[in-house]
Amino acid sequence: MAGLPTDINIDILSRLSVKCLLRFKCVSKSFCSLIDSQEFIKIHLKRSIETNSNLSLILSGTPAPISASSRYWGGKIFSAGLDSLNLGVELDHPFKNCKGRTPIVDSCNGLIALKNDENGIALWNPSTEEHLILPKFWGDLKDFTVVDGFGYDAVNDDYKVVRLVQLVIGNVGYTEIAVYSLRTNSWRRIRVGFPYYILHGWDGTFADGHVHWLVTNNPEDYIENLIVAFNLKSEEFHEVPLPHLENRNDVLVMFVGNFSGCLYFSCLCNYPQPVDIWVLKGCWTKAFSFPRSVGDYVKALAYSQSGGKVLVDKFEYGEDEDINRWELFWYDLQNQGAAADQVTIHGVPQGCRDTIVCVDSLVSLAACAGRGVAGREGRMS
């Protein structure tokens, strides 16, 4: 390949996995320089997203969405290639040896934002093992509700973390909002209106340049009933209309997530109503409908390489913590209610967990920040 034109080399290399590319950096200085270039990193990422390839399922031991749990896997996080899903590999993440929970906030372009009860937030690329620990600039937050979000500002070519800290006394809520910019490697507080209430403290979901949270405008509500979106470019909030729900009074819990790059919405209704999943592509479209026998909560994760199946993580709720469990299935889109193949990932513990799909990428935190930041703390401005 050394004698081939650069554009041919780029086309060939962009089809390889990140693991192969990291090995190829040792071939020569020219290969190393090419693979490390921002142009190549973006081409490789774009091809992976467009071809639905180089995807990994990331599993972390966090509580189920509708049940508290004391099982956190000791802060362990696992990864399994989406093509096979037969073996889970434990990852060396930045908070691996820290006490407390380590939930994943979200993933974007191969980067993962995760946080630890005692050590704050970190940005981490599990493919390259590069990480950055963000500064902690709040004091004791035990009386506050704290939610975070993470995503990519494509206009400014910047990765951002958004933190909402809310204190509610009676019907009055005070919310402080801060945005971390990887490009400047610093936090800044912003002053925008937020006339909403955060009930359950679930972190946001990134899709289409926005971070989305489920909220309510009434602190006495027992479930969220609004989607609010934060534009990472303009750094302003706006409401996203919910899909049309025929039995809105029967809704028990609402959820939002990211499916194949798009925002999705689902809700748990009174038995025996099905679990419907809508995907937002300009307007809401009901993409899947699963019978309640499938599970209490069905989380859509990804399409198969052929596009004929969808990977779902289903949750069954029970009063006993041992009954609260997730199970992975591939569902045939032609027969969603019956044709399902259960997935067993060896080496991954049982129990309550969270799952996200992450594209393997070469995106560099140090390059995005404009200086060497791997393993170092950021700052507050």
Side-chain angles (χ1 to χ4, degrees):
M1 292 174 63
L4 295 175
T6 301
D7 58 340
I8 301 298
N9 278 334
I10 289 176
D11 184 66
I12 295 173
L13 292 173
S14 67
R15 302 170 187 271
L16 302 179
S17 68
V18 171
K19 185 179 294 186
C20 289
L21 291 170
L22 292 176
R23 291 199 299 264
F24 276 28
K25 287 175 63 176
C26 301
V27 171
S28 66
K29 290 183 178 180
S30 61
F31 263 37
C32 182
S33 177
L34 173 61
I35 294 170
D36 282 340
S37 70
Q38 290 304 296
E39 178 187 8
F40 176 78
I41 289 173
K42 290 181 178 180
I43 290 173
H44 181 267
L45 175 63
K46 184 173 183 290
R47 183 184 289 275
S48 295
I49 293 174
E50 290 178 346
T51 60
N52 198 32
S53 59
N54 295 320
L55 298 176
S56 294
L57 185 66
I58 307 296
L59 306 98
S60 60
T62 55
I66 52 179
S67 171
S69 173
S70 60
R71 299 179 179 180
Y72 303 120
W73 295 3
K76 294 180 179 180
I77 297 177
F78 296 82
S79 173
L82 203 65
D83 291 337
S84 59
L85 290 178
N86 59 357
L87 179 64
V89 178
E90 185 179 350
L91 300 175
D92 290 324
H93 63 85
F95 298 135
K96 181 177 179 179
N97 298 317
C98 299
K99 296 180 180 179
R101 300 182 310 125
T102 306
I104 290 175
V105 177
D106 208 348
S107 71
C108 177
N109 293 347
L111 299 181
I112 290 176
L114 67 161
K115 56 186 179 182
N116 178 264
D117 289 340
E118 298 182 3
N119 296 278
I121 301 174
L123 299 183
W124 167 51
N125 185 329
S127 297
T128 63
E129 299 184 354
E130 183 187 26
H131 78 270
L132 167 67
I133 299 176
L134 278 57
K136 294 168 61 178
F137 59 93
W138 280 282
D140 187 359
L141 296 175
K142 66 179 181 180
D143 295 325
F144 294 79
T145 300
V146 181
V147 294
D148 298 292
F150 170 63
Y152 179 58
D153 175 2
V155 175
N156 296 303
D157 191 21
D158 194 9
Y159 291 89
K160 296 179 178 180
V161 175
V162 188
R163 167 158 283 194
L164 280 61
V165 178
Q166 186 172 79
L167 176 65
V168 178
I169 301 177
N171 291 328
V172 179
Y174 166 76
T175 306
E176 184 173 286
I177 303 164
V179 176
Y180 170 84
S181 163
L182 180 58
R183 179 171 287 278
T184 63
N185 195 22
S186 63
W187 287 92
R188 54 190 171 78
R189 293 178 174 88
I190 62 172
R191 298 187 180 276
V192 295
F194 191 81
Y196 309 104
Y197 296 88
I198 304 164
L199 296 183
H200 291 97
W202 296 332
D203 290 321
T205 293
F206 175 73
D208 193 28
H210 298 73
V211 178
H212 305 79
W213 290 272
L214 280 165
V215 296
T216 178
N217 50 19
N218 183 357
E220 297 181 357
D221 287 341
Y222 70 95
I223 65 169
E224 295 87 345
N225 54 20
L226 294 169
I227 300 175
V228 64
F230 182 77
N231 188 313
L232 289 178
K233 175 186 178 295
S234 65
E235 298 186 349
E236 295 176 337
F237 289 98
H238 70 270
E239 293 182 17
V240 177
L242 294 177
H244 174 68
L245 303 175
E246 296 179 356
N247 302 302
R248 183 138 184 184
N249 292 333
D250 292 331
V251 174
L252 301 176
V253 187
M254 294 182 177
F255 305 97
V256 291
N258 185 302
F259 178 76
S260 194
C262 298
L263 183 71
Y264 85 79
F265 171 89
S266 68
C267 57
L268 174 64
C269 297
N270 287 319
Y271 194 86
Q273 296 183 57
V275 180
D276 296 327
I277 295 178
W278 289 264
V279 176
L280 184 61
K281 293 183 178 180
C283 62
W284 289 107
T285 302
K286 188 183 291 187
F288 318 112
S289 184
F290 297 95
R292 189 61 177 273
S293 59
V294 170
D296 292 312
Y297 169 50
V298 179
K299 182 177 183 179
L301 291 169
Y303 285 113
S304 62
Q305 191 73 36
S306 65
K309 295 182 179 181
V310 61
L311 180 67
V312 301
D313 212 2
K314 72 182 187 71
F315 176 76
E316 293 185 15
Y317 175 74
E319 296 299 328
D320 187 337
E321 188 177 272
D322 289 332
I323 303 175
N324 296 333
R325 63 180 183 271
W326 289 94
E327 291 180 327
L328 284 165
F329 283 86
W330 282 110
Y331 276 89
D332 190 323
L333 294 178
Q334 299 301 315
N335 193 355
Q336 295 174 27
D341 298 320
Q342 185 170 2
V343 176
T344 300
I345 305 179
H346 300 285
V348 176
Q350 297 296 316
C352 295
R353 62 162 188 259
D354 191 18
T355 47
I356 62 169
V357 174
C358 180
V359 60
D360 301 336
S361 84
L362 294 162
V363 172
S364 168
L365 293 166
C368 293
R371 55 181 170 275
V373 297
R376 297 164 58 182
E377 292 195 356
R379 60 188 175 85
M380 176 63 187
S381 66

